[in-house]
């Protein structure tokens, strides 16, 4: 016998599309990892820490230097005071932080609101913790928060709301009005908030990151999760951090103690350096990604896709309706891989019911030359589509 939650999970869409891209020589814009953006100061700090040591277990809560840096960064960019000794925990990536939080704060039968499209790990980890994910669907083209539906889904069993802002895969930044609505619901129903904010430093065109953790009335109800992988373009390092009121963080730390216990000390030391980089680094990160975004979005639009503004994260979302009347985004992703040599991922994979099938996601956190080649391939593919349509009409 095996546990059905993990045994029945299947292969992720990211792995299957990446495998197809590798097999066909397609440019993989499906998987969300950056290319060529790691800050040199961070890499140098990691090398020095590896050379200098120590190489044994660091403190379970994380290196004091990193926990202090997390608190300082939160104060610098969000004007929120954090007690680094009692309110900051270092984890082996944001996914571990989510797992620790669900295991520590959820009871069997609890209900947890999640907003779709959603990172696929949420529902699986919530179920493994014994709770029940309750999806609230955000729909294109505006991806607005369905307030009446959300309010109607809250029951006496509802324990928490998970909010990912900025939001993967659609790049949505929840605005002040939406956060105020959520805040009122949380207080009215005595709920917790699990805030996945790994893209907090990846907002564009002067937009600001917004967080429920900044609201004094919610300060002791919000678990805020961050990621060095996204902030410093080192997704393979798997260094995350949790910030929460001490009463919430204590059980999360106990879960962490028995899940991974700790995170490589050299990487922690390097991330502490990274979080203390000057403001110019964080602004240049945005500027660099904006440039890459523009190359891809302009190319997608020139190729005939309808593309929404990409306000944050690594991702641009394209409507495929003009190319696929049936609205099968999975089939279209495979088709584009085989015909154009460019690989996206279907947005339907971010919905439990897979009932939004009109859009695909492209990652623009790639080298400029990679994006330019992808745009050229899409342009040639579009020309071929037009030629094929002309031949059909003539016949």
């Amino acid at each position: 016998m095996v546990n059905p939650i993990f045994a029945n999970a299947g292969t992720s869409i990211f792995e299957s599309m990446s495998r197809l891209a590798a097999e066909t020589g397609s440019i993989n814009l499906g998987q969300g990892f950056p290319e060529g953006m790691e800050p040199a100061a961070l890499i140098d700090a990691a090398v020095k820490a590896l050379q200098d040591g120590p190489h044994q277990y660091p403190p379970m809560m994380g290196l004091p230097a990193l926990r202090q840096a997390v608190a300082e960064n939160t104060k610098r960019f969000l004007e929120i005071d954090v007690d680094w000794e009692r309110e900051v925990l270092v984890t082996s990536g944001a996914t571990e932080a989510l797992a620790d939080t669900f295991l520590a704060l959820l009871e069997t039968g609890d209900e947890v609101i999640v907003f779709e499209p959603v990172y696929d790990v949420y529902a699986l980890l919530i179920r493994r913790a014994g709770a029940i994910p309750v999806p609230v669907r955000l729909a294109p083209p505006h991806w607005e928060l369905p307030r009446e539906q959300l309010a109607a889904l809250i029951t006496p069993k509802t324990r928490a709301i998970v909010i990912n802002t900025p939001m993967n895969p659609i790049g949505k930044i929840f605005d002040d009005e939406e956060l105020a609505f959520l805040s009122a619901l949380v207080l009215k129903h005595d709920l917790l908030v699990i805030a996945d904010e790994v893209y907090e430093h990846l907002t564009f065109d002067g937009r600001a990151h917004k967080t429920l953790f900044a609201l004094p009335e919610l300060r002791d109800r919000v678990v805020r999760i961050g990621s060095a992988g996204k902030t410093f373009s080192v997704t393979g390092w798997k260094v995350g951090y949790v910030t929460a009121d001490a009463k919430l963080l204590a059980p999360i730390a106990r879960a962490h103690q028995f899940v991974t216990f700790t995170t490589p000390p050299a990487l922690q030391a390097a991330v502490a350096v990274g979080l203390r980089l000057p403001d110019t680094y964080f602004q240049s990160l945005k500027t660099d990604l904006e440039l890459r975004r523009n190359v891809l979005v302009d190319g997608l639009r020139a190729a005939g896709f309808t593309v929404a503004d990409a306000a944050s994260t690594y991702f641009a979302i394209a409507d495929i309706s003009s190319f696929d009347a049936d609205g099968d985004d999975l089939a279209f992703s495979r088709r584009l891989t085989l015909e154009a040599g460019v690989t996206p991922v279907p947005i339907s994979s971010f919905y439990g019911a897979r009932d939004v099938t009109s859009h695909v996601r492209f990652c623009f956190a790639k080298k400029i030359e990679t994006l330019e080649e992808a745009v050229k391939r899409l342009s040639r593919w579009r020309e071929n589509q037009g030629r094929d349509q002309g031949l059909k009409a003539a016949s």
Side-chain angles (χ1 to χ4, degrees):
M1 297 293 292
V2 295
N3 182 274
I5 292 175
F6 289 107
N8 296 335
T11 303
S12 77
I13 189 65
F14 311 106
E15 183 177 349
S16 61
M17 292 307 300
S18 293
R19 185 184 303 128
L20 182 62
E23 291 171 352
T24 60
S26 178
I27 296 174
N28 186 0
L29 300 185
Q31 199 162 15
F33 62 86
E35 292 180 347
M37 297 177 58
E38 306 90 334
L42 190 81
I43 306 304
D44 291 343
V47 171
K48 185 177 188 303
L50 280 169
Q51 291 174 334
D52 294 349
H55 301 289
Q56 310 313 320
Y57 297 123
M60 182 271 291
M61 294 291 292
L63 291 182
L66 177 51
R67 295 162 66 205
Q68 291 164 5
V70 170
E72 292 167 11
N73 194 271
T74 305
K75 176 66 174 178
R76 178 166 36 144
F77 290 102
L78 297 175
E79 288 296 320
I80 303 172
D81 292 313
V82 172
D83 181 344
W84 72 267
E85 290 185 284
R86 302 172 66 245
E87 296 185 321
V88 180
L89 168 72
V90 178
T91 61
S92 292
T95 300
E96 191 228 320
L98 287 164
D100 295 342
T101 301
F102 295 147
L103 289 170
L105 301 182
L106 301 180
E107 295 279 1
T108 300
D110 283 346
E111 295 176 354
V112 181
I113 301 288
V114 297
F115 298 124
E116 293 183 334
V118 65
Y119 180 36
D120 58 1
V121 77
Y122 288 4
L124 186 146
L125 292 177
I126 288 168
R127 288 196 296 269
R128 194 65 192 96
I132 302 165
V134 178
V136 174
R137 190 180 78 170
L138 279 61
H142 302 299
W143 312 102
E144 296 169 338
L145 185 68
R147 302 183 186 189
E148 291 184 5
Q149 178 192 357
L150 170 59
L153 286 173
I154 295 177
T155 76
K157 293 183 178 180
T158 306
R159 170 65 168 160
I161 296 175
V162 182
I163 177 172
N164 174 210
T165 183
M167 189 175 181
N168 173 25
I170 58 176
K172 175 184 174 66
I173 301 171
F174 285 77
D175 62 28
D176 289 335
E177 290 185 1
E178 290 172 321
L179 294 181
F181 178 79
L182 289 171
S183 174
L185 281 182
V186 168
L187 292 172
K188 178 181 178 180
H189 297 283
D190 190 23
L191 306 179
L192 298 175
V193 175
I194 300 162
D196 179 351
E197 300 183 5
V198 298
Y199 295 100
E200 61 182 311
H201 289 294
L202 307 185
T203 58
F204 310 133
D205 306 314
R207 297 177 176 90
H209 171 56
K210 307 285 187 177
T211 176
L212 286 170
F213 192 64
L215 302 180
E217 63 271 27
L218 296 189
R219 179 65 169 74
D220 62 349
R221 295 176 177 269
V222 178
V223 176
R224 192 171 103 87
I225 295 170
S227 167
K230 301 301 190 294
T231 299
F232 302 110
S233 307
V234 287
T235 57
W237 284 22
K238 301 299 293 179
V239 179
Y241 18 88
V242 182
T243 309
D245 180 88
K247 287 184 289 187
L248 290 178
L249 193 68
I252 296 171
R254 295 285 79 76
H256 163 71
Q257 176 177 314
F258 296 107
V259 172
T260 65
F261 181 69
T262 191
T263 298
L267 300 183
Q268 290 194 54
V271 173
V273 171
L275 287 171
R276 293 188 172 105
L277 288 173
D279 291 358
T280 51
Y281 163 73
F282 295 92
Q283 184 54 53
S284 66
L285 174 66
K286 297 172 188 278
T287 301
D288 191 358
L289 280 167
E290 286 173 7
L291 174 61
R292 297 171 191 234
R293 175 201 62 182
N294 293 344
V295 170
L296 179 61
V297 169
D298 290 348
L300 287 170
R301 288 172 176 165
F305 291 93
T306 300
V307 184
D309 290 339
S312 62
T313 73
Y314 292 152
F315 309 115
I317 306 303
D319 189 332
I320 64 172
S321 301
S322 59
F323 298 107
D324 188 339
D326 296 329
D328 187 338
D329 57 350
L330 177 56
F332 182 82
S333 296
R334 290 171 174 160
R335 174 186 163 198
L336 202 66
T337 298
L338 297 172
E339 295 180 2
V342 178
T343 301
V345 292
I347 289 296
S348 63
S349 62
F350 294 87
Y351 289 86
R354 296 183 180 269
D355 56 353
V356 176
T357 61
S358 56
H359 290 67
V360 296
R361 187 192 82 174
F362 295 88
C363 176
F364 54 76
K366 306 297 180 183
K367 295 178 181 178
I368 293 291
E369 53 266 35
T370 301
L371 297 172
E372 290 175 340
E373 176 59 26
V375 166
K376 289 179 183 177
R377 294 186 182 189
L378 289 169
S379 178
R380 288 196 299 267
W381 176 77
R382 174 62 189 274
E383 291 173 2
N384 291 336
Q385 295 298 300
R387 188 179 303 113
D388 292 343
Q389 290 299 322
L391 290 173
K392 289 180 181 179
S395 63

